[in-house]
Amino acid sequence: MTISRAGLGLLGLFFTASALLLMFLAFLGGARNSNPLNRIYWLQADTSNIPGAPALSRWTYWNLCAVNDKGHNACGKSYADYPFDPPSHRNFGTTTNIPSAFIGTNHYFLTSRFMFPFHIIALFFATCSLFTGFLAMCTRIGSFVSALSAYIALTFQVITTCLMTAVYVQGRNKFNANGQTSRLGVKAFAFMWTSTALLFLAGVIYCMGGAVGRKESGYSGREQRRRGFFSSHRSGSLRSNKETAA
C-alpha cells in the first residue's frame, strides 16, 4: 500500500510540476525579449494601417509588442496586467482603422484585465499543491490536501483560460473581419489548456492516493476478535455448566 501511495503521489507531483511550468511560461510570455518568452503571446494582428502602430502587433500580459525580423516579440517596458483594448490610450490611442467592434465598449478591456489576477491565484494554489504533494507520497492527509489545492488551482485556471479564449478569439475574428490578418498565439493557448488538463489529472491522482490504504476491514477484524474472545468465554462457561450438571 505504501508503494502504491508513493507512486501515485510521485505521479501527481509530476503532473502538478508540469502544469506549473506551462502556467508560468504563459504568464511570463512577453515579459522579456529572451527565448522562449519572446515567442509567447495571446494574439497577433496586422496593424500596419493603424497610425503609430507597428506592422504586426502582439498582445501579452505585459505589453503590446512589435515583431522583429526573426518573428519574435520585440517588447518595450513591461506593465503588469496589460489590457487588450486597441482604441484606448493604453494600446494605440486612436480609432483610425480600428475595427468598430472595439470602439465604445469596455468588454475587451475588462475581460483581459481579469485574466491576470485569476492566473496569479491559480499559480498560488498550484504551487501549494506541489509542495504538499511531497507529503502525498506518504500520508493520506497529504494526498487530500494536495488534491484540494489542485482543484482550487484548476477552478481559477479554468476561469482564466475561458476568459483568454473568449476575448482573444473574439478579437481575432474582429480584426479578420476588418481585413487585418490576425491569429492566436498557439503556444500560449496550448500551454494554458494543457496545464488545465494536467491540474485535473493531478487532482484525480492525489484523490486516488488518499483512497489507497483505507482499510474497511480493520474495525471488523477487531470486532471479530472481540466476538472470538467472548464466544470462547461463553463456550467455556457452557461446557463447565454441563459438567457440573452431570
Side-chain angles (χ1 to χ4, degrees), residues 41-50 55-59 64 67 84 86 92 97 99 102 108 164-186 189:
Y41 58 91
W42 305 120
L43 177 70
Q44 173 183 295
D46 178 2
T47 54
S48 56
N49 62 347
I50 297 177
L56 288 175
S57 297
R58 288 178 175 175
W59 281 265
L64 174 62
V67 181
F84 174 54
F92 301 127
N97 294 326
F102 294 125
Y108 300 93
M164 170 202 70
T165 302
V167 70
Y168 288 110
V169 167
Q170 289 175 3
R172 178 201 60 183
N173 294 341
K174 300 307 179 185
F175 274 116
N176 285 334
N178 200 46
Q180 296 160 296
T181 305
S182 177
R183 68 181 186 186
L184 301 174
V186 175
F189 274 72

Side-chain angles (χ1 to χ4, degrees), residues 83-97:
F84 174 54
D85 192 16
S88 76
H89 67 279
R90 302 174 185 87
N91 286 192
F92 301 127
T94 181
T95 57
T96 304
N97 294 326

Side-chain angles (χ1 to χ4, degrees), residues 43-222:
L43 177 70
Q44 173 183 295
D46 178 2
T47 54
S48 56
N49 62 347
I50 297 177
L56 288 175
S57 297
R58 288 178 175 175
W59 281 265
T60 71
Y61 268 143
W62 306 94
N63 210 335
L64 174 62
C65 307
V67 181
N68 61 25
D69 54 359
K70 295 181 179 180
H72 300 163
N73 301 345
C75 304
K77 186 178 179 181
S78 295
Y79 301 91
D81 203 5
Y82 196 84
F84 174 54
D85 192 16
S88 76
H89 67 279
R90 302 174 185 87
N91 286 192
F92 301 127
T94 181
T95 57
T96 304
N97 294 326
I98 298 289
S100 59
F102 294 125
I103 301 172
T105 178
N106 289 324
H107 166 68
Y108 300 93
F109 170 78
L110 293 174
T111 306
S112 59
R113 287 296 289 268
F114 273 109
M115 287 171 54
F116 191 83
F118 285 138
H119 200 152
I120 290 177
I121 297 171
L123 284 169
F124 172 77
F125 282 103
T127 303
C128 292
S129 181
L130 180 69
F131 285 116
T132 57
F134 291 99
L135 297 175
M137 292 189 289
C138 52
T139 64
R140 286 178 57 199
I141 187 66
S143 297
F144 288 126
V145 170
S146 298
L148 177 61
S149 298
Y151 280 128
I152 295 174
L154 173 64
T155 300
F156 286 98
Q157 181 68 4
V158 167
I159 294 172
T160 305
T161 306
C162 289
L163 289 175
M164 170 202 70
T165 302
V167 70
Y168 288 110
V169 167
Q170 289 175 3
R172 178 201 60 183
N173 294 341
K174 300 307 179 185
F175 274 116
N176 285 334
N178 200 46
Q180 296 160 296
T181 305
S182 177
R183 68 181 186 186
L184 301 174
V186 175
K187 293 182 179 64
F189 274 72
F191 291 163
M192 292 294 284
W193 281 109
T194 304
S195 60
T196 301
L198 289 171
L199 284 174
F200 173 76
L201 291 174
V204 171
I205 291 168
Y206 283 136
C207 286
M208 291 171 61
V212 166
R214 179 180 291 177
K215 296 181 179 179
E216 301 202 1
S217 59
Y219 289 106
S220 61
R222 285 194 290 272

